[in-house]
């Protein structure tokens, strides 16, 4: 990423650029950067697509050579799955552990996410995939009656959860 060496004073001719003009300059610079990034992506995409098509054609040639014969053109496309945030079962165990430590006091999904992230050395950010993994797992556990939901399902706030009394 190339650094913009233009100073606002070079553009305005003033020793001190008013904050409103500095804001406008910054917005324009960011938009130009996004446009340049998009244009670069557009230039590179045709080559990447051509390489993937060549690889698919090579597979079309090899697949019929296998002892189990299928039509390679019958294979439908799909998106690859992303790697899981944590190994299988770790999120569930972390949820149970956190809810047990709360001692029947309902706690938020953010607190649960923070507990699991801290236990596994994961830095928690606003868009951390661990938060999504915890949210989805809590939703499934609630449908299986393994945890109790204490909030409305149609909310944008963090959910509040606890263990059932028989746990």
């Amino acid at each position: 990423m190339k650094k913009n060496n233009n100073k606002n004073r070079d553009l305005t001719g003033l020793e001190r650029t008013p904050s409103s003009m500095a804001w406008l300059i910054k917005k324009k610079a960011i938009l130009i950067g996004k446009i340049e990034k998009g244009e670069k992506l557009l230039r590179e995409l045709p080559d990447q697509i051509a390489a993937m098509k060549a690889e698919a054609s090579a597979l079309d040639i090899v697949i019929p050579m296998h002892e189990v014969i299928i039509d390679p053109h019958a294979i439908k496309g799909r998106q690859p799955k992303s790697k899981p945030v944590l190994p299988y079962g770790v999120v569930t165990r972390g949820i149970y552990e956190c809810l047990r430590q709360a001692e029947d006091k309902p706690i938020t999904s953010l607190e649960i996410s923070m507990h699991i992230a801290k236990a596994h050395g994961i830095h928690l950010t606003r868009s951390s995939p661990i938060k999504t993994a915890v949210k989805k797992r809590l939703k499934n556990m609630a449908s299986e009656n393994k945890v109790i939901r204490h909030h409305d399902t149609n909310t944008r706030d963090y959910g509040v959860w606890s263990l059932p009394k028989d746990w």
Side-chain angles (χ1 to χ4, degrees):
M1 188 164 141
K2 61 183 178 179
K3 182 156 168 79
N4 186 0
N5 290 327
N6 286 342
K7 302 287 184 204
N8 289 343
R9 75 178 127 237
D10 295 340
L11 296 170
T12 62
L14 300 173
E15 184 64 32
R16 178 154 164 71
T17 303
S19 61
S20 58
M21 179 53 76
W23 182 83
L24 290 168
I25 291 169
K26 180 181 174 187
K27 287 298 252 186
K28 172 79 186 246
I30 290 170
L31 283 172
I32 290 172
K34 287 181 179 180
I35 291 168
E36 289 171 350
K37 182 179 178 181
E39 288 173 341
K40 180 182 176 205
L41 184 63
L42 277 174
R43 284 192 305 274
E44 293 172 354
L45 272 177
D47 293 336
Q48 292 175 2
I49 291 170
M52 288 186 280
K53 283 184 176 180
E55 189 174 344
S57 294
L59 289 171
D60 286 347
I61 294 169
V62 174
I63 287 174
M65 293 178 183
H66 194 278
E67 63 187 48
V68 177
I69 297 178
I70 63 165
D71 179 13
H73 301 292
I75 300 171
K76 302 277 188 256
R78 70 172 180 88
Q79 296 294 318
K81 283 188 175 181
S82 59
K83 289 185 177 179
V85 179
L86 291 168
Y88 182 81
V90 172
V91 173
T92 304
R93 283 191 296 274
I95 290 170
Y96 280 134
E97 178 183 295
C98 188
L99 290 173
R100 275 191 218 107
Q101 288 176 2
E103 299 175 353
D104 296 332
K105 178 184 162 235
I107 57 175
T108 66
S109 55
L110 178 60
E111 292 172 298
I112 297 169
S113 298
M114 289 169 44
H115 172 83
I116 295 170
K118 184 177 178 184
H120 297 282
I122 297 172
H123 179 69
L124 200 63
T125 61
R126 183 171 292 201
S127 61
S128 288
I130 188 76
K131 288 170 36 179
T132 305
V134 168
K135 180 177 77 171
K136 287 180 179 180
R137 186 66 192 120
L138 282 166
K139 181 180 174 186
N140 290 338
M141 290 171 75
S143 68
E144 297 167 355
N145 296 320
K146 293 180 178 179
V147 295
I148 298 172
R149 179 191 320 261
H150 295 277
H151 61 278
D152 184 17
T153 55
N154 295 329
T155 182
R156 295 190 56 81
D157 294 333
Y158 291 108
V160 183
W161 308 87
S162 69
L163 286 173
K165 296 290 183 207
D166 58 346
W167 263 79

